[in-house]
Amino acid sequence: MMSSENRSHFSASCSSVSEKARAKINLALHVTGQRPDGYHLLDMLVTFADHGDRLDFMRSPADAFTLSGRFGELLAGDGGTNLVLKARDLLREAIGPLAFPVRIHLEKNLPVASGIGGGSADAAATLRGLMRLWGTTLSAETLAALALKLGADVPMCLESRPLIARGIGEELEPVPELPAFAMVLANPLKGVSTPEVFRRLATKNNPALSLTPSRPQAADWLAAIAATRNDLEPPARELVPEIAAMAAMLQARGALLTRMSGSGATCFGIFASMTSAEDAAAALHDARSDWYFQATETVSGGA
């Protein structure tokens, strides 16, 4: 049953809203164990890029879902497995019959299944956007539980700010000191199987994440991040050799730090400035126009 608070918010609903689904970047990913149900325990330092997908929501006589963007066609046959539609349906179930029909348009700018949380970010943006469109709110606990039903990455994408995530991704701790970074995202547009990456992981009880930057300056954070790991990168490189090639290309163009994000195959390079990141992305695109390169800036913890 909808609370009186939800009803009062619902009266303020609007006819259309838009949401950005920011790319999720795993600056560090430590695999620290495995639960009896098979889920791996992770310690992650996560930030979010300004670049991402875009979702538009508007009143409609009936539910509708449309796609555009560079990678939109890859989701055209997704049907009921699409996380955007699952998020819509779960939120509608939680809100009740006052959740009117909606047309959702997804501009898919991020590569699909690429280790930067594209689908999870889209689901989180759907929750945020539809709550605004439908003029309603849910308690933090209810919303977090709903997000986790959609996937382990969705709660952190709902936050879309720098944080440390532990457990299977549901234990979140903001990192307000983390600065913004100029960055280039690189992906060979070749899929990598997450289950196979975990299967090939030699050790599943690795040291936990420990971050101790002495000062909040970017250089100190870079040094602290460089001392961390992505435990999934070595097995992912075995499956997709292009990951090593992309890291080398980013380094050759002046990246201060390179690493794979998530389970791959996207890599990132952190650069000294947005100008140097944009120059590097342009040069890398010229060298491999069949791959994905995108200059962007991450959000700061204090944003």
Side-chain angles (χ1 to χ4, degrees):
M1 184 169 183
M2 186 175 292
S3 69
S4 59
E5 179 189 28
N6 280 351
R7 287 196 180 96
S8 66
H9 277 281
F10 201 94
S11 64
S13 62
C14 44
S15 60
S16 65
V17 298
S18 296
E19 281 283 340
K20 180 178 286 188
R22 299 179 184 275
K24 176 184 69 68
I25 312 299
N26 291 99
L27 296 173
L29 191 159
H30 293 200
V31 181
T32 60
Q34 188 172 16
R35 302 193 318 193
D37 61 5
Y39 278 96
H40 290 83
L41 299 175
L42 309 174
D43 280 5
M44 297 176 283
L45 176 64
V46 175
T47 192
F48 290 83
D50 188 56
H51 181 69
D53 297 338
R54 174 190 168 97
L55 289 101
D56 298 310
F57 309 90
M58 62 197 71
R59 285 178 178 266
S60 177
D63 282 338
F65 180 59
T66 55
L67 289 158
S68 67
R70 178 178 177 183
F71 301 103
E73 288 187 4
L74 298 178
L75 299 179
D78 214 9
T81 64
N82 189 288
L83 281 178
V84 169
L85 304 183
K86 287 186 175 182
R88 177 201 65 192
D89 295 343
L90 273 177
L91 185 60
R92 174 175 280 142
E93 182 181 344
I95 290 172
L98 293 178
F100 51 77
V102 59
R103 178 181 180 271
I104 303 174
H105 180 77
L106 170 60
E107 182 183 281
K108 190 65 184 170
N109 302 315
L110 298 175
V112 176
S114 56
I116 50 177
S120 297
D122 293 342
T126 300
L127 296 178
R128 293 194 305 266
L130 287 180
M131 283 193 296
R132 290 170 56 207
L133 185 74
W134 288 334
T136 190
T137 59
L138 296 173
S139 70
E141 295 78 11
T142 300
L143 187 58
L146 193 153
L148 193 58
K149 282 184 180 180
L150 293 164
D153 284 353
V154 179
M156 65 186 84
C157 289
L158 200 58
E159 294 285 334
S160 284
R161 57 176 172 162
L163 50 84
I164 291 173
R166 293 188 172 90
I168 63 170
E170 82 283 13
E171 302 172 22
L172 305 181
E173 174 190 340
V175 185
E177 304 87 4
L178 190 71
F181 294 111
M183 185 177 285
V184 173
L185 304 178
N187 188 286
L189 302 182
K190 183 176 181 180
V192 55
S193 167
T194 298
E196 182 63 17
V197 169
F198 276 102
R199 191 187 71 78
R200 288 175 176 245
L201 191 63
T203 305
K204 299 185 178 182
N205 293 284
N206 300 294
L209 179 68
S210 177
L211 285 168
T212 55
S214 57
R215 296 177 299 173
Q217 279 74 24
D220 298 284
W221 273 99
L222 274 176
I225 294 167
T228 66
R229 318 176 302 276
N230 182 343
D231 290 328
L232 301 183
E233 186 164 348
R237 286 189 178 213
E238 294 175 6
L239 292 167
V240 182
E242 290 89 340
I243 293 171
M246 287 188 304
M249 292 170 71
L250 289 165
Q251 289 173 341
R253 287 294 169 181
L256 305 175
L257 173 70
T258 63
R259 185 165 287 162
M260 188 183 80
S261 179
S263 58
T266 299
C267 292
F268 63 85
I270 296 177
F271 287 79
S273 67
M274 271 306 297
T275 298
S276 58
E278 289 166 351
D279 289 346
L284 291 167
H285 177 75
D286 288 343
R288 289 299 307 256
S289 60
D290 55 327
W291 288 2
Y292 168 88
F293 297 101
Q294 176 66 49
T296 187
E297 186 174 33
T298 62
V299 300
S300 69

